[in-house]
Each structure stands twice: as structure tokens, then as C-alpha cells.
Amino acid sequence: MIGASWRARGWVSRQGIAGGRDGPAPNAEVALRKFVETAWPALKRLGLSPGASQSNLTFTLTLTKALSGVDLVQENGPERIDFKQKLYGQLDELLAARR
């Protein structure tokens, strides 16, 4: 999961998967972890994926590390064209070697 937007927070939380990377917001990791912690009781009532755990959430500030060993990339960065263009350029470059 690239980004820590509201959509990413919900998806990561419900699936209980590892993910999270966000460059622009200096408090992105704290905000993401707080969101997941606060939402966890409601998510449990709604039904979590097997093995879902708050401890599955990982966070990194480097795109290379965020992409290490992943099977799926879900981009949830800020809706700014300059940011998206730079991010997709980096993703294309880093993922091209895996093709």
C-alpha cells in the first residue's frame, strides 16, 4: 500500500495486511497507527480477514523498501498531478526490473 489516505487506512485495517508508505505528511505513521487502533473494534465487529492483526501493519518511508517482496501495489497518494507523475515514474522504474 503506497500512501496513508482514508481509503488506504480502511483497506489496510480491514484486510489486516502489511502496508503503508507516505512521504508528504510528517506524521503519517502515527496518524495511520492511531486510525487503525481506533477503528479496530468496529472492524472486528464487521469481520476481519483471517490472520488480521494490528501487528501486521508495517511502515516505511522508502519506496524501494515498501515494494520489497510485494505481489500487489495499491497507490493512495495525494491527489496532486505532480506527486502522481513522480510516484508513477518511480514505480515504473523500480518495478520494471521485476518483469
Side-chain angles (χ1 to χ4, degrees):
M1 185 74 57
I2 308 299
S5 67
W6 64 268
R7 182 174 296 143
R9 292 175 187 180
W11 199 80
V12 166
S13 299
R14 186 107 192 270
Q15 299 301 314
I17 60 171
R21 177 201 175 269
D22 199 299
N27 65 340
E29 181 175 10
V30 171
L32 177 61
R33 291 188 186 283
K34 181 66 177 165
F35 177 88
V36 172
E37 179 184 338
T38 301
W40 201 256
L43 293 167
K44 282 174 69 174
R45 285 191 302 274
L46 291 170
L48 295 167
S49 294
S53 170
Q54 292 180 60
S55 65
N56 291 344
L57 179 62
T58 60
F59 195 94
T60 180
L61 292 176
T62 66
L63 191 54
T64 302
K65 189 172 179 183
L67 296 174
S68 178
V70 301
D71 295 319
L72 172 73
V73 176
Q74 170 77 34
E75 177 275 314
N76 294 287
E79 297 302 325
R80 295 190 339 250
I81 192 69
D82 60 320
F83 182 89
K84 298 281 188 181
Q85 288 173 332
K86 182 179 177 184
L87 177 60
Y88 277 93
Q90 292 171 322
L91 289 171
D92 282 347
E93 184 179 315
L94 291 168
L95 296 172
R98 296 175 63 179
R99 294 184 193 134

